[in-house]
Amino acid sequence: MVSTVLLDTLQDPSKEINGLYSGQNPDEFITTVEQHFKQLLSPHDAFYQIPPLSSSHPPIAHRQRGLVRFEAMVQDTSASPEVYLGIMENGSHGGWGIYEHTIRPTDRDTDEPTLDYNQLRERSSVWAVTIPNQTKWSEDEFNGTDFPTPTQHNEYTCPRKYKNPSSDSSAFGVSLKLYQTDLSLKPGEVKTFVGILDEEDLASEVEEDEVQKLPVIHVVFTLDVASTTAAFDLKALRDTLPDDISITRQELLQWIADEGLGGDTVAAEWVLLLSLSKVQSRTPPMLPLSMTLAAFVDPVDKEAEEPTIVPILRQLLSAVSFMPLSLERLNKTFFLPTSVDEDVHAGFLQQSIGSCVIVSESGIKEGKVTEKGLRNLDALQSAIATQTISYVFPYSSYAFPVDLMFLVLTRGRKSAFVKTELVIPLQSTLPPDQLARVLYKQEGNIRLPEESRLKAFRNYLKTSRELKVSLSNEVGKYIEDEFVRRRQESTSTTSSEDLAREMTIAKLLSASRHESELTKETWKAAVEMDQQRQMATK
């Protein structure tokens, strides 16, 4: 049952703010509001009573000046600060859109409130977008059971569509008004913003006299995404899994192999390890694995552009972006966020932390790659190798960190366009035509496990991905001794880069087995996997 205080706050947050204000220092009052709303709304049950702003619940589905929660990626922080009237003539606080709401255009026939310039305050304005290519089940998880996806979808055309990295037509962006001076947001960050939904006028880019309505959230507080995800209690998630995790692991591998990889369980295991990969450290660099699936045949039906592995991973991961390379995409689109007429247009590589980016080369035909196309390929290679992307301005560029999993699909022995850390040849026993039909199924023809098994697979991946794997002194000494022995015995030089790669693979393999401490047996298995992979590519 929803409390009366909570219900009143959800319906009229401006009234709640006015009730809190009693002549305090207007700057200190911002902290008071943040703490009050966070204390009232952060508890799990209360948080999920806040209406979600999402692709399935866009701005037009909500009442203006009501409270919403918005899980979003910061897209652009370059806008100049704005000013607002901190204390209005009647003595009430003017923040969180309260001042603007009192002088809406319909009311401007009457006298506007007298401005006391001593009471003007600054706020930040940041552009945030729905999480690019967020999967449906992940969005449903954020929305919560009280806000299911409507049977009739709300058609919503987002202003400033060029600021959305996602190809999804239901994606949109919001202008965030931030009043907390200590809140510093970086491009690419994913946060949950709780605030008052409003709108402001935006001059149309097509018709001079036409005014569009730009969605705005006056933020009262923000939360890290992990703290707001209903299913992210790791201990609770582990308790839903069987004691013998190898059963769930093997079932998942077999499903990925049979439905998406022509029965190749070895490739499926590498895809599993990739899906657990993330930035462990920037200094020294311990970055996510990047992987090329080689000998990945082209589709028989040239219209079937999306490989089966894409919808399969969408059933398992929270955000999956498909990037079919073509000359048109290379030569005409932005891969990097780029400033155009003093406004940052989104680039495809502007994806949220933890996203899986699947790059397919099947659409590449003969033709010329322009200078812009070469810059895009350089940007893609840099993102893969360094886990950074640049924000491009007319006379400068600034690099920002990303945390993305890259899977490249190519018909050849290796990619002709980018270099990944691993190359895995697809080894299926199926004839080429039959293999192509498996690798490029219509989404409706994919055999899905029961929903309970899918949920178990997702929980298994979440817990494995967050598991911290430690290294004992004994095993560390064993690995060091083995490395020295191999260098002395091997005809080819075993480098420190080889050791670093094997360590990454071993820790991922350990996490996939839910082993919190790396064992000698898992280390040996990881080295063997890597050696067999290298032999298969020769």
Side-chain angles (χ1 to χ4, degrees):
M1 183 176 177
V2 183
S3 71
T4 304
V5 174
L6 177 58
L7 188 61
D8 289 345
T9 302
L10 293 176
Q11 291 180 343
D12 194 350
S14 300
K15 183 179 179 181
E16 185 75 11
I17 291 173
N18 285 330
L20 288 172
Y21 187 67
S22 56
Q24 302 99 311
N25 179 300
D27 299 320
E28 295 175 357
F29 182 63
I30 290 170
T31 303
T32 301
V33 169
E34 179 184 17
Q35 292 174 345
H36 173 79
F37 276 81
K38 189 176 285 189
Q39 183 177 9
L40 180 65
L41 300 171
S42 287
H44 180 275
D45 291 342
F47 180 82
Y48 281 90
Q49 294 298 321
I50 307 171
L53 187 67
S54 61
S55 295
S56 56
H57 297 81
I60 58 171
H62 295 270
R63 183 174 53 84
Q64 290 299 304
R65 301 294 301 167
L67 209 63
V68 295
R69 51 187 166 94
F70 184 40
E71 186 180 57
M73 184 189 80
V74 177
Q75 189 269 336
D76 181 12
T77 60
S78 64
S80 300
E82 302 174 347
V83 294
Y84 69 98
L85 190 61
I87 304 299
M88 298 196 298
E89 191 177 12
N90 61 7
S92 60
H93 201 283
W96 299 279
I98 294 173
Y99 168 69
E100 290 93 332
H101 190 61
T102 64
I103 54 167
R104 288 296 190 207
T106 53
D107 300 329
R108 287 178 183 170
D109 301 342
T110 59
D111 294 335
E112 293 187 7
T114 302
L115 274 181
D116 180 353
Y117 290 94
N118 292 322
Q119 299 297 345
L120 292 179
R121 297 290 186 273
E122 275 195 357
R123 66 188 178 201
S124 301
S125 180
V126 169
W127 189 259
V129 296
T130 49
I131 295 177
N133 302 295
Q134 183 178 28
T135 51
K136 182 182 181 304
W137 68 265
S138 178
E139 183 188 321
D140 288 345
E141 218 173 58
F142 171 76
N143 290 342
T145 55
D146 289 335
F147 298 95
T149 300
T151 52
Q152 288 188 325
H153 192 67
N154 293 293
E155 293 294 334
Y156 177 66
T157 302
C158 173
R160 307 175 84 183
K161 196 76 174 174
Y162 56 85
K163 294 184 78 67
N164 285 330
S166 175
S167 57
D168 188 347
S169 60
S170 62
F172 61 87
V174 170
S175 178
L176 303 176
K177 309 302 181 185
L178 305 171
Y179 296 81
Q180 300 89 335
T181 56
D182 60 343
L183 182 61
S184 177
L185 297 174
K186 297 180 178 62
E189 274 191 301
V190 175
K191 297 280 187 181
T192 298
F193 302 94
V194 177
I196 301 171
L197 181 65
D198 208 339
E199 59 185 21
E200 63 185 14
D201 293 343
L202 176 69
S204 172
E205 298 162 6
V206 181
E207 300 290 340
E208 289 187 8
D209 297 333
E210 183 183 345
V211 175
Q212 293 179 302
K213 295 297 183 181
L214 188 70
V216 167
I217 293 179
H218 295 276
V219 177
V220 291
F221 69 90
T222 65
L223 293 171
D224 291 333
V225 169
S227 64
T228 63
T229 304
F232 215 82
D233 182 339
L234 288 178
K235 184 178 183 306
L237 287 183
R238 290 192 191 102
D239 291 342
T240 67
L241 299 170
D243 293 335
D244 187 357
I245 202 66
S246 64
I247 297 173
T248 301
R249 185 182 188 276
Q250 185 56 40
E251 287 180 354
L252 174 58
L253 285 177
Q254 200 64 55
W255 178 60
I256 294 173
D258 291 345
E259 288 302 306
L261 298 174
D264 188 347
T265 53
V266 173
E269 185 161 27
W270 283 110
V271 170
L272 168 62
L273 298 189
L274 176 74
S275 68
L276 305 181
S277 193
K278 62 180 181 179
V279 173
Q280 302 284 346
S281 167
R282 296 281 175 182
T283 308
M286 295 179 65
L287 305 178
L289 290 177
S290 57
M291 184 184 303
T292 296
L293 269 181
F296 202 93
V297 301
D298 288 345
V300 176
D301 179 3
K302 298 304 180 184
E303 298 299 318
E305 190 177 64
E306 188 170 270
T308 314
I309 193 65
V310 177
I312 283 178
L313 290 180
R314 284 186 183 135
Q315 292 289 343
L316 302 171
L317 306 176
S318 59
V320 177
S321 300
F322 179 52
M323 186 182 198
L325 287 186
S326 66
L327 289 179
E328 183 176 11
R329 179 184 283 268
L330 283 172
N331 294 336
K332 295 184 178 180
T333 64
F334 289 125
F335 279 24
L336 295 176
T338 303
S339 179
V340 178
D341 296 330
E342 299 185 350
D343 195 1
V344 176
H345 290 224
F348 181 85
L349 292 173
Q350 201 176 16
Q351 303 290 329
S352 62
I353 291 174
S355 291
C356 180
V357 180
I358 303 176
V359 181
S360 172
E361 297 181 359
S362 67
I364 292 287
K365 309 301 178 187
E366 288 187 10
K368 181 181 179 181
V369 179
T370 64
E371 184 180 348
K372 182 175 183 177
L374 291 173
R375 288 198 302 268
N376 279 334
L377 286 174
D378 284 343
L380 176 58
Q381 182 62 70
S382 178
I384 292 172
T386 68
Q387 289 291 320
T388 61
I389 64 170
S390 293
Y391 283 58
V392 181
F393 294 88
Y395 303 106
S396 61
S397 63
Y398 301 92
F400 286 89
V402 294
D403 187 352
L404 307 174
M405 302 170 274
F406 283 96
L407 176 62
V408 180
L409 310 176
T410 182
R411 69 177 75 87
R413 295 182 61 190
K414 62 179 181 179
S415 170
F417 298 96
V418 291
K419 181 181 179 181
T420 58
E421 191 169 10
L422 304 178
V423 177
I424 315 295
L426 188 65
Q427 296 178 304
S428 173
T429 58
L430 298 176
D433 285 355
Q434 189 177 345
L435 177 59
R437 286 192 287 273
V438 172
L439 297 183
Y440 296 91
K441 291 179 185 177
Q442 295 289 330
E443 188 168 353
N445 294 332
I446 299 173
R447 289 177 297 179
L448 297 178
E450 294 181 1
E451 186 59 35
S452 60
R453 294 310 298 153
L454 270 178
K455 189 171 183 180
F457 291 162
R458 293 164 189 159
N459 290 350
Y460 159 73
L461 289 171
K462 285 180 185 176
T463 52
S464 300
R465 186 174 168 80
E466 296 304 316
L467 186 66
K468 291 183 175 12
V469 178
S470 62
L471 180 67
S472 67
N473 291 334
E474 179 188 357
V475 175
K477 181 67 167 57
Y478 171 79
I479 293 171
E480 183 181 343
D481 291 344
E482 281 294 294
F483 175 66
V484 172
R485 180 187 63 78
R486 286 162 56 200
R487 283 181 66 98
Q488 292 172 342
E489 295 179 357
S490 178
T491 55
S492 61
T493 304
T494 302
S495 67
S496 58
E497 288 79 9
D498 295 326
L499 179 63
R501 182 184 65 251
E502 290 168 351
M503 181 62 74
T504 299
I505 294 169
K507 286 194 170 185
L508 291 172
L509 185 59
S510 186
S512 78
R513 296 174 172 182
H514 276 207
E515 297 170 351
S516 58
E517 186 172 298
L518 181 60
T519 64
K520 292 180 183 178
E521 291 71 28
T522 300
W523 169 259
K524 292 176 183 177
V527 172
E528 185 178 359
M529 278 182 70
D530 195 40
Q531 289 175 343
Q532 289 178 349
R533 172 193 67 81
Q534 293 179 71
M535 289 176 60
T537 59
K538 291 180 179 178

